[in-house]
């Protein structure tokens, strides 16, 4: 999905086609006055994308009822517009500063203290579930040998992850616990991007920043501030390497879907695959 198609869906939904594009990734995110609209990829052949959008709205209601600071849905259900799931949200006030790992820790503490929601079911965190779809979207833009290599890693890490013994009791998790999914407004920090909420190992949420420290250049002192605020460092857990490997595999495959139209994405994909093949955990990965 590109910006042009996303704007067509926006218009078909009866929303202004000239809306401000805020982000274009797994979803196209637009600002429309005091609302934010998320347009997902075509769900015609992928009904799980519609289910994910509907669940994100349900998660927002649940978090509001539970007192967890998070973005709030402006409509009670997801729309389906020309095959694309569309959700509408209240726009947050402008950020007062960039979010930091230390802002994330207390929000995760609140989420991790919640029991399972009533009225709907959170899925397992299928971290590797999108690998095949992303590789198919990449098509001939990537080396078939690299695609096969990632499929093999996916299968191996999926089996290893299923056998893990957690340190923390399983429960609700954000699923993509990064500072970019926290917005620090005038009234404090709130969680955003709720579509990966799951019921699974809480270690999933903690491995994200450990990987950011090693692969994406997160400063050590920022990581330490996060672990101090949360109260535990997931790197002390013997299963950390397995979840890290699974997330690396998924992150690499995610980049592949952008390779056909973005030379920088293709170069980054090749960098990531090479570092995995060489078993080099310290090669820096970059956004594109």
């Amino acid at each position: 999905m590109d910006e042009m198609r996303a704007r067509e869906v926006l218009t078909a939904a009866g929303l202004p086609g000239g809306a401000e594009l805020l982000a274009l990734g797994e979803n196209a995110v637009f600002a429309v006055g005091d609302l934010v609209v998320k347009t997902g990829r075509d769900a015609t052949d992928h009904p799980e994308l519609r289910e994910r959008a509907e669940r994100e709205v349900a998660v927002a209601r649940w978090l509001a009822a539970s007192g967890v600071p998070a973005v709030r849905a402006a409509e009670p259900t997801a729309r389906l517009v020309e095959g694309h799931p569309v959700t509408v949200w209240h726009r947050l006030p402008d950020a007062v500063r960039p979010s930091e790992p230390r802002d994330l820790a207390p929000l995760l503490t609140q989420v991790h203290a919640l029991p399972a929601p009533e009225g709907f079911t959170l899925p397992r965190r299928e971290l590797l579930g999108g690998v095949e779809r992303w590789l198919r979207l990449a098509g001939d833009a990537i080396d078939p040998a690299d695609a096969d290599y990632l499929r093999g890693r996916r299968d191996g890490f999926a089996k290893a992850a299923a056998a893990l013994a957690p340190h923390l009791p399983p429960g609700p998790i954000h699923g993509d616990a990064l500072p970019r999914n926290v917005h620090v407004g005038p009234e404090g920090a709130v969680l955003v991007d709720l579509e990966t909420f799951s019921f699974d190992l809480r270690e999933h949420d903690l491995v994200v920043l450990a990987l950011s420290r090693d692969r994406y250049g997160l400063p050590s002192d920022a990581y330490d501030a996060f672990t101090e605020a949360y109260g535990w460092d997931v790197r002390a857990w013997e299963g950390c390497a397995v979840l890290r490997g699974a997330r690396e595999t998924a992150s690499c495959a995610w980049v592949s879907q952008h390779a056909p139209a973005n030379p920088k994405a293709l170069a980054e994909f090749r960098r990531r695959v090479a570092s995995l093949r060489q078993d080099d955990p310290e090669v820096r990965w970059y956004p594109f």
Side-chain angles (χ1 to χ4, degrees), residues 144-185:
D146 287 340
D148 288 343
Y149 170 73
L150 289 176
R151 290 186 178 103
R153 276 184 63 96
R154 172 200 61 197
D155 295 344
F157 278 111
K159 182 178 180 179
L164 288 174
H167 173 78
L168 303 172
I173 60 172
H174 181 278
D176 193 25
L178 285 163
R180 71 176 182 224
N181 289 329
V182 174
H183 179 92
V184 183

Side-chain angles (χ1 to χ4, degrees), residues 166-208:
H167 173 78
L168 303 172
I173 60 172
H174 181 278
D176 193 25
L178 285 163
R180 71 176 182 224
N181 289 329
V182 174
H183 179 92
V184 183
E187 297 183 4
V190 301
L191 283 172
V192 301
D193 289 342
L194 312 177
E195 64 188 10
T196 54
F197 254 78
S198 312
F199 190 99
D200 212 314
L201 304 187
R202 288 178 165 124
E203 287 84 354
H204 273 292
D205 276 348
L206 307 178
V207 165
V208 178

Side-chain angles (χ1 to χ4, degrees), residues 71-135:
V71 64
R72 306 304 187 202
E75 294 186 354
T77 60
R79 307 186 197 183
L80 190 66
V81 181
E82 297 185 349
H84 294 257
V86 174
T87 54
V88 184
W89 305 84
H90 291 292
R91 189 172 185 177
L92 295 168
D94 290 343
V96 297
R97 61 170 174 82
S99 59
E100 301 176 19
R102 62 183 173 88
D103 299 312
L104 178 60
L107 293 170
L108 290 184
T109 299
Q110 291 183 66
V111 169
H112 291 178
L114 293 175
E118 298 180 1
F120 70 99
T121 301
L122 290 174
R124 296 291 300 273
R125 178 62 173 112
E126 295 294 343
L127 185 61
L128 297 162
V131 168
E132 187 61 33
R133 178 167 59 90
W134 298 326
L135 294 176

